[in-house]
Amino acid sequence: MAFYTLGLTFNLVIFLTVIVLAVWIYGIYFNFKKWGLGSTGYHDQLRNSFWLFIATWIHEAFKDGIWVFLRTAILDVLLLRRTLARSPVRWVMHMCMFYGFLTLAALSGLGLMIDIVEHFNILGLAEPAEVAKEVLSLPFDLFGYLLLIGATIAISRRILLKFVRDNTTAYDAFLIGSVFLITITGFYAEWLRGNAFLVGNAFGDAVYAPHFALIHTILALGLFCLVLPWSKYIHVIATPMTLLANRGGE
Amino acid sequence: MADDKGSKPLLTGYMLSTQLMEIDGCNRCQECMKWCPTFAVRPDRPGITPMYKNAKWRELMAKNYSLRAKIFGGKPLNEDEMKLFTEDVYYCTTCGVCGTVCEAGIKTVELWEAMRPNLVDRGNGPYGKQSFFPKLVKADRNPYQAKQEDRLCWVPKDAKVNESGDIVYFAGCTAAYRQQALGVATVRILNKLNVEFAMLGKDEWCCASAMVRTGQREVMAEHAVHNVDALKDAGAKNVLFACAGCLRNAAIDWPLWYEGYIPYETMPLSVFLREKIRKGEVEYKIPLNYTVTYHDPCHNGRHLMHLKGEDWAFEASRDCLQSIPGVKFKDMIRNRALQRCCGAGGGVKAGIPDLALDMAKARVLDGEEIKADVIASTCPFCRRNIMDGRNDAKSSIKVLDVVELMAASMGLDTTIPENPYTKFQEQDVLVCGPTTCEVETVERKAPGKDLVGEAH
């Protein structure tokens, strides 16, 4: 099925992706440099350095040795122990969003590589690449549902719980709403293609499918790769780094 | 409206670079808001909660350090906004419950204590009467404008206190000048248990906790170095503290300022006494027929639990209380690591006394909820503030120190000798006969009138 539509070519999409990734990488660098505005120790002078932030973080994260670092990485970063201790519902939400989002991001990256292999027929692997893409569609669906469950809980909490609702700012609403929107458009794009997981051909539409896939791709690239380093979503990177630097926190 | 022209950017010098990262690590889960004891009594001010403070810091920093600022130039900070933000940062007792429940593992106490000196350097902090702390402490080496020579004026003539030795009791300014019943009870118990111990006398300077908590670090170095050196000179191997604020500072803050080896261990007095109880050396004579609850001081509990372990931080005092005959021990609903702060810490008692009072009343209500007769603690500042809250709420609950309860039950004479500071003694006291003890409640002058007891 044709994926590239509305005048977009494969090369143009690759070019846009490279730009977005470059902005994303610069965003991460920019944040690290901003954090480098702090000092490296209790009495130390300011150095304003990207590298000294990295050095300080490594020093803090490994202060108690490699085993504590690994324990924190597994229990606190990967299993979100602190969240579970406070609220099992929020833990389910975070786990769904965390693993759903990360896996979809990784699968998207892999999908892009496969697309490139297929497009340029690198090493004559165009055909196996096509098969690989088909194989990827199931994990895409499963992790998509995972993200959808997480995003739905997040939205529901913000709407249904008074305390949470009262302290939700427009900023929170925009960012959580954007995750939800991307997830929903992703599903709809998949359903329009037909033969989708769980719904089969119920929503299949060969004409609109490429357009909707494009909308989803642009929203995902634009909102996440551009917004992530410049918004509260930097916590996707800063929170695990904080947990590691503080050896699991209090 | 304040003039914003030539406004300085937000200073970041006292923040570790990883702390700046922590601010971005806040995922706005709102858990801190549910537990914050200041927000509980000021629900109309969400700005004082950690989540909002982090967001505001990020916003203020962005004015000069964001990509927009890099491309188009920084914006001056609005001084009215800065004033409000400063107020929000100081409307915090640095109790640390937000750090305990934080999903992102942000070490919030350290974070607030790093934000404050930046605000002080920028000319925004400290808050209210907190600015007197460094002047008072620098002039007199204590916050009560008392004479250093009088440090031991409350020690009974027949008590045995050495000038040096392995064990040193660091009494702290409040026990020395304002809650001498605590000092006398400690000395009496140690004597009764035949513990050879020393005190520093005039060489004991204020621990300077209030300065660190309120972001005024300039006096800290001198006091930390002096006290550590004095303890080393006295030959200390084990330093006992009956004041949670002094203990926190000696265990966590002094080593940050002292370049050199520190040869002694810092220990809560309750841990030392529990050992004696376990060895069967403590002999009780008078049952105390009260329902007693324990208020965990933040400085001795949450602040120290990772350094000294939860057993030392939370259980030792409870074990001491439960060893007293007649005592019916009951925990308040919020206890140990999730305890509700009394409201005295972080300079709040001096800077924002009405907030401290409302928080104390909330804690008294916690005690009343479980029908406690006595709220016991191991922090003179918690005790002072909870007593103020009790008086304001006209509650019948009594507020005492664990050590005083033990001394009373051991049948020890805890009479405070007449001294120049007798008129300042305003604590609930246990008056004991041969077989029973009664608690006498002492009313107090209007809270916040004096810097006394407000230094932490």
Side-chain angles (χ1 to χ4, degrees), chain A residues 6-29:
Chain A
L6 303 177
L8 277 183
T9 62
F10 177 84
N11 289 342
L12 199 52
V13 168
I14 294 289
F15 176 71
L16 282 175
T17 308
V18 169
I19 297 276
V20 165
L21 278 177
V23 172
W24 189 85
I25 289 167
Y26 179 72
I28 300 300
Y29 166 79

Side-chain angles (χ1 to χ4, degrees), chain B residues 144-321:
Chain B
Y144 298 118
Q145 295 177 284
K147 288 180 188 163
Q148 277 296 102
E149 290 70 26
D150 294 338
R151 277 267 172 193
L152 300 181
C153 65
W154 49 271
V155 176
K157 289 271 185 299
D158 58 332
K160 191 186 173 206
V161 177
N162 300 328
E163 287 183 2
S164 63
D166 288 353
I167 297 172
V168 175
Y169 164 44
F170 192 98
C173 306
T174 305
Y177 302 116
R178 292 299 187 268
Q179 291 186 27
Q180 294 173 335
L182 168 61
V184 174
T186 306
V187 166
R188 288 295 192 200
I189 291 180
L190 293 175
N191 277 178
K192 178 73 182 172
L193 298 174
N194 296 317
V195 176
E196 288 290 328
F197 72 99
M199 292 183 73
L200 298 179
K202 65 181 171 50
D203 283 331
E204 183 185 303
W205 288 7
C206 173
C207 68
S209 170
M211 271 58 78
V212 185
R213 308 283 88 79
T214 56
Q216 305 173 90
R217 291 186 182 175
E218 70 273 14
V219 187
M220 184 62 202
E222 201 185 351
H223 277 240
V225 171
H226 170 87
N227 281 328
V228 174
D229 279 339
L231 287 165
K232 281 169 86 169
D233 291 346
K237 298 231 166 34
N238 190 3
V239 185
L240 305 178
F241 293 86
C243 169
C246 297
L247 171 63
R248 191 261 193 236
N249 237 36
I252 297 176
D253 296 292
W254 293 354
L256 295 170
W257 296 86
Y258 192 80
E259 289 175 12
Y261 176 62
I262 298 177
Y264 57 78
E265 162 93 279
T266 50
M267 185 185 264
L269 183 64
S270 54
V271 171
F272 184 82
L273 294 180
R274 185 177 62 173
E275 275 312 295
K276 298 288 178 191
I277 293 166
R278 284 176 175 170
K279 285 179 186 165
E281 292 175 31
V282 175
E283 198 184 313
Y284 292 114
K285 290 178 181 162
I286 307 170
L288 301 180
N289 297 311
Y290 293 109
T291 301
V292 180
T293 189
Y294 179 65
H295 167 76
D296 296 273
C298 313
H299 288 157
N300 190 69
R302 272 192 296 266
H303 289 216
L304 277 192
M305 64 182 178
H306 297 286
L307 189 69
K308 304 283 190 188
E310 296 196 0
D311 178 54
W312 277 33
F314 303 124
E315 304 309 326
S317 301
R318 285 179 171 78
D319 291 343
C320 287
L321 284 172

Side-chain angles (χ1 to χ4, degrees), chain B residues 7-75:
Chain B
S7 156
K8 279 191 226 169
L10 200 62
L11 303 179
T12 58
Y14 291 94
M15 311 274 276
L16 280 179
S17 53
T18 45
Q19 286 179 317
L20 289 175
M21 173 189 71
E22 287 178 27
I23 289 172
D24 281 326
C26 173
N27 58 21
R28 299 178 61 79
C29 68
Q30 304 182 359
E31 190 66 23
C32 52
M33 295 184 80
K34 289 183 198 158
W35 294 92
C36 177
T38 48
F39 182 55
V41 295
R42 292 288 182 275
D44 56 327
R45 293 195 60 167
I48 62 180
T49 61
M51 185 179 92
Y52 281 93
K53 276 187 286 192
N54 282 336
K56 193 70 191 172
W57 177 277
R58 212 158 40 206
E59 186 189 318
L60 291 169
M61 239 187 121
K63 294 199 176 188
N64 286 285
Y65 304 110
S66 63
L67 185 65
R68 189 205 55 75
K70 197 176 162 78
I71 297 168
F72 302 108
K75 280 184 185 169

